[in-house]
Amino acid sequence: MSDLGPVSQVPLGEGRTFAVENSQIAVFRLRDGSLRALDAVCPHKGGPLADGLADESVVVCPLHGATYDMCTGTESGGGAPVRSYPVSEVDGRIQITT
């Protein structure tokens, strides 16, 4: 498990990219305060998923509009998925398992 720092560094309703081991991971803090984590780079055009529009269940790639389920990483149009990661808040800090 990796500690990514205080949860406050990810504003509500937004995502941020973190380097974890040899991966780039986008961590999203949903409006209800819960966390989700996916690979940070879209496999289609290399778009930065942390910059995409996100709601409580999906994130949209800012470069070409692919939509990824934030729990599973599945692309809604049947395209290449991204990996999702177990992430949680423990004592105000982001904890992720890779």
Side-chain angles (χ1 to χ4, degrees):
M1 186 168 297
S2 297
D3 182 319
L4 302 183
V7 73
S8 60
Q9 67 188 322
V10 182
L12 283 175
E14 295 186 24
R16 294 292 184 266
T17 299
F18 295 88
V20 181
E21 297 172 5
N22 293 320
S23 300
Q24 294 289 314
I25 298 176
V27 175
F28 298 89
R29 188 170 170 211
L30 306 184
R31 295 194 191 285
D32 67 2
S34 63
L35 300 172
R36 302 286 185 273
L38 300 170
D39 284 334
V41 180
C42 176
H44 301 102
K45 304 263 186 191
L49 291 180
D51 294 342
L53 295 175
D55 65 16
E56 57 278 340
S57 59
V58 300
V59 61
V60 179
C61 175
L63 293 187
H64 73 294
T67 303
Y68 296 93
D69 182 289
M70 298 241 279
C71 291
T72 66
T74 304
E75 200 276 316
S76 64
V82 293
R83 183 174 172 201
S84 62
Y85 299 87
V87 62
S88 60
E89 180 180 347
V90 178
D91 296 327
R93 300 186 67 79
I94 301 168
Q95 303 290 313
I96 192 163
T97 302
T98 55

mmCIF file of all heavy atoms in Angstrom, residues 1 9 11 17 19 29 32 34 36 38-40 43 54 59 72 88 92 94 98:
data_model
loop_
_atom_site.group_PDB
_atom_site.id
_atom_site.type_symbol
_atom_site.label_atom_id
_atom_site.label_comp_id
_atom_site.label_asym_id
_atom_site.label_seq_id
_atom_site.Cartn_x
_atom_site.Cartn_y
_atom_site.Cartn_z
ATOM 1 N N MET A 1 0.850 -1.178 0.000
ATOM 2 C CA MET A 1 0.000 0.000 0.000
ATOM 3 C C MET A 1 0.894 1.238 0.000
ATOM 4 O O MET A 1 1.888 1.287 0.702
ATOM 5 C CB MET A 1 -0.922 -0.010 1.214
ATOM 6 C CG MET A 1 -1.920 1.114 1.176
ATOM 7 S SD MET A 1 -3.266 0.985 2.377
ATOM 8 C CE MET A 1 -4.074 -0.497 1.856
ATOM 9 N N GLN A 9 -5.325 17.468 -1.003
ATOM 10 C CA GLN A 9 -4.638 17.904 -2.219
ATOM 11 C C GLN A 9 -5.424 17.591 -3.491
ATOM 12 O O GLN A 9 -5.066 18.052 -4.568
ATOM 13 C CB GLN A 9 -3.240 17.317 -2.281
ATOM 14 C CG GLN A 9 -3.188 15.824 -2.452
ATOM 15 C CD GLN A 9 -1.782 15.286 -2.320
ATOM 16 O OE1 GLN A 9 -0.831 15.899 -2.764
ATOM 17 N NE2 GLN A 9 -1.644 14.141 -1.687
ATOM 18 N N PRO A 11 -9.036 18.378 -4.814
ATOM 19 C CA PRO A 11 -10.292 19.080 -4.522
ATOM 20 C C PRO A 11 -11.516 18.219 -4.851
ATOM 21 O O PRO A 11 -11.471 17.373 -5.752
ATOM 22 C CB PRO A 11 -10.234 20.296 -5.453
ATOM 23 C CG PRO A 11 -8.785 20.478 -5.769
ATOM 24 C CD PRO A 11 -8.207 19.093 -5.788
ATOM 25 N N THR A 17 -3.011 13.598 -10.771
ATOM 26 C CA THR A 17 -2.145 12.486 -11.159
ATOM 27 C C THR A 17 -1.011 12.341 -10.167
ATOM 28 O O THR A 17 -0.404 13.325 -9.747
ATOM 29 C CB THR A 17 -1.581 12.721 -12.571
ATOM 30 O OG1 THR A 17 -2.662 12.807 -13.493
ATOM 31 C CG2 THR A 17 -0.665 11.579 -12.993
ATOM 32 N N ALA A 19 2.558 9.818 -9.273
ATOM 33 C CA ALA A 19 3.506 8.777 -9.662
ATOM 34 C C ALA A 19 3.549 7.763 -8.526
ATOM 35 O O ALA A 19 3.852 8.118 -7.385
ATOM 36 C CB ALA A 19 4.881 9.374 -9.901
ATOM 37 N N ARG A 29 -11.451 12.585 -6.419
ATOM 38 C CA ARG A 29 -12.207 12.758 -5.176
ATOM 39 C C ARG A 29 -13.606 13.206 -5.588
ATOM 40 O O ARG A 29 -13.802 14.336 -6.052
ATOM 41 C CB ARG A 29 -11.535 13.795 -4.286
ATOM 42 C CG ARG A 29 -12.135 13.901 -2.916
ATOM 43 C CD ARG A 29 -11.247 14.777 -2.054
ATOM 44 N NE ARG A 29 -11.859 15.116 -0.801
ATOM 45 C CZ ARG A 29 -11.641 16.253 -0.161
ATOM 46 N NH1 ARG A 29 -10.802 17.142 -0.649
ATOM 47 N NH2 ARG A 29 -12.243 16.479 0.974
ATOM 48 N N ASP A 32 -19.027 13.420 -3.150
ATOM 49 C CA ASP A 32 -19.413 12.902 -1.836
ATOM 50 C C ASP A 32 -18.197 12.616 -0.953
ATOM 51 O O ASP A 32 -18.322 12.119 0.155
ATOM 52 C CB ASP A 32 -20.282 11.648 -1.977
ATOM 53 C CG ASP A 32 -19.538 10.449 -2.553
ATOM 54 O OD1 ASP A 32 -18.310 10.535 -2.830
ATOM 55 O OD2 ASP A 32 -20.185 9.394 -2.733
ATOM 56 N N SER A 34 -15.771 10.449 -1.592
ATOM 57 C CA SER A 34 -15.156 9.139 -1.842
ATOM 58 C C SER A 34 -14.073 9.259 -2.910
ATOM 59 O O SER A 34 -14.029 10.223 -3.681
ATOM 60 C CB SER A 34 -16.209 8.108 -2.241
ATOM 61 O OG SER A 34 -16.831 8.474 -3.455
ATOM 62 N N ARG A 36 -11.643 7.428 -6.088
ATOM 63 C CA ARG A 36 -11.513 6.428 -7.148
ATOM 64 C C ARG A 36 -10.130 6.612 -7.757
ATOM 65 O O ARG A 36 -9.588 7.723 -7.759
ATOM 66 C CB ARG A 36 -12.559 6.608 -8.250
ATOM 67 C CG ARG A 36 -13.999 6.550 -7.795
ATOM 68 C CD ARG A 36 -14.448 5.138 -7.466
ATOM 69 N NE ARG A 36 -15.852 5.099 -7.153
ATOM 70 C CZ ARG A 36 -16.373 5.306 -5.946
ATOM 71 N NH1 ARG A 36 -15.593 5.568 -4.928
ATOM 72 N NH2 ARG A 36 -17.666 5.240 -5.748
ATOM 73 N N LEU A 38 -7.612 5.354 -11.250
ATOM 74 C CA LEU A 38 -7.455 4.690 -12.546
ATOM 75 C C LEU A 38 -6.070 5.010 -13.098
ATOM 76 O O LEU A 38 -5.437 5.977 -12.678
ATOM 77 C CB LEU A 38 -8.479 5.220 -13.555
ATOM 78 C CG LEU A 38 -9.956 5.087 -13.267
ATOM 79 C CD1 LEU A 38 -10.755 5.904 -14.280
ATOM 80 C CD2 LEU A 38 -10.361 3.626 -13.338
ATOM 81 N N ASP A 39 -5.643 4.220 -14.114
ATOM 82 C CA ASP A 39 -4.453 4.628 -14.853
ATOM 83 C C ASP A 39 -4.659 6.065 -15.305
ATOM 84 O O ASP A 39 -5.758 6.451 -15.698
ATOM 85 C CB ASP A 39 -4.252 3.746 -16.086
ATOM 86 C CG ASP A 39 -3.700 2.367 -15.762
ATOM 87 O OD1 ASP A 39 -3.016 2.221 -14.729
ATOM 88 O OD2 ASP A 39 -3.953 1.442 -16.561
ATOM 89 N N ALA A 40 -3.599 6.859 -15.282
ATOM 90 C CA ALA A 40 -3.727 8.289 -15.577
ATOM 91 C C ALA A 40 -3.736 8.620 -17.061
ATOM 92 O O ALA A 40 -4.117 9.717 -17.442
ATOM 93 C CB ALA A 40 -2.599 9.057 -14.891
ATOM 94 N N PRO A 43 -5.498 5.026 -23.085
ATOM 95 C CA PRO A 43 -4.750 4.196 -24.027
ATOM 96 C C PRO A 43 -4.953 4.565 -25.494
ATOM 97 O O PRO A 43 -4.190 4.138 -26.345
ATOM 98 C CB PRO A 43 -5.260 2.778 -23.742
ATOM 99 C CG PRO A 43 -6.606 2.967 -23.154
ATOM 100 C CD PRO A 43 -6.548 4.269 -22.401
ATOM 101 N N ALA A 54 -15.490 14.407 -14.670
ATOM 102 C CA ALA A 54 -15.865 13.221 -13.902
ATOM 103 C C ALA A 54 -17.156 13.483 -13.135
ATOM 104 O O ALA A 54 -17.421 14.604 -12.709
ATOM 105 C CB ALA A 54 -14.746 12.861 -12.922
ATOM 106 N N VAL A 59 -15.424 8.929 -15.918
ATOM 107 C CA VAL A 59 -14.566 10.045 -16.306
ATOM 108 C C VAL A 59 -14.473 10.024 -17.825
ATOM 109 O O VAL A 59 -14.418 8.955 -18.444
ATOM 110 C CB VAL A 59 -13.163 9.980 -15.650
ATOM 111 C CG1 VAL A 59 -12.406 8.723 -16.042
ATOM 112 C CG2 VAL A 59 -12.352 11.226 -15.978
ATOM 113 N N THR A 72 -14.383 0.187 -12.455
ATOM 114 C CA THR A 72 -13.834 -0.976 -13.150
ATOM 115 C C THR A 72 -12.781 -0.637 -14.195
ATOM 116 O O THR A 72 -12.024 -1.519 -14.604
ATOM 117 C CB THR A 72 -14.954 -1.752 -13.862
ATOM 118 O OG1 THR A 72 -15.493 -0.925 -14.906
ATOM 119 C CG2 THR A 72 -16.044 -2.163 -12.880
ATOM 120 N N SER A 88 -8.370 4.391 -0.810
ATOM 121 C CA SER A 88 -9.200 4.756 0.332
ATOM 122 C C SER A 88 -8.575 5.935 1.065
ATOM 123 O O SER A 88 -7.421 6.291 0.836
ATOM 124 C CB SER A 88 -9.372 3.568 1.284
ATOM 125 O OG SER A 88 -8.115 3.146 1.769
ATOM 126 N N GLY A 92 -7.322 10.821 6.942
ATOM 127 C CA GLY A 92 -7.141 12.031 6.137
ATOM 128 C C GLY A 92 -6.088 11.916 5.053
ATOM 129 O O GLY A 92 -5.751 12.906 4.406
ATOM 130 N N ILE A 94 -4.503 9.667 1.525
ATOM 131 C CA ILE A 94 -4.865 8.784 0.410
ATOM 132 C C ILE A 94 -3.974 7.539 0.471
ATOM 133 O O ILE A 94 -2.745 7.647 0.440
ATOM 134 C CB ILE A 94 -4.666 9.496 -0.940
ATOM 135 C CG1 ILE A 94 -5.516 10.768 -1.011
ATOM 136 C CG2 ILE A 94 -5.003 8.542 -2.086
ATOM 137 C CD1 ILE A 94 -5.163 11.668 -2.176
ATOM 138 N N THR A 98 -1.380 -0.992 -5.364
ATOM 139 C CA THR A 98 -1.073 -1.205 -6.795
ATOM 140 C C THR A 98 -0.785 -2.662 -7.081
ATOM 141 O O THR A 98 -0.617 -3.457 -6.193
ATOM 142 C CB THR A 98 0.134 -0.362 -7.241
ATOM 143 O OG1 THR A 98 1.242 -0.653 -6.387
ATOM 144 C CG2 THR A 98 -0.189 1.102 -7.200
#
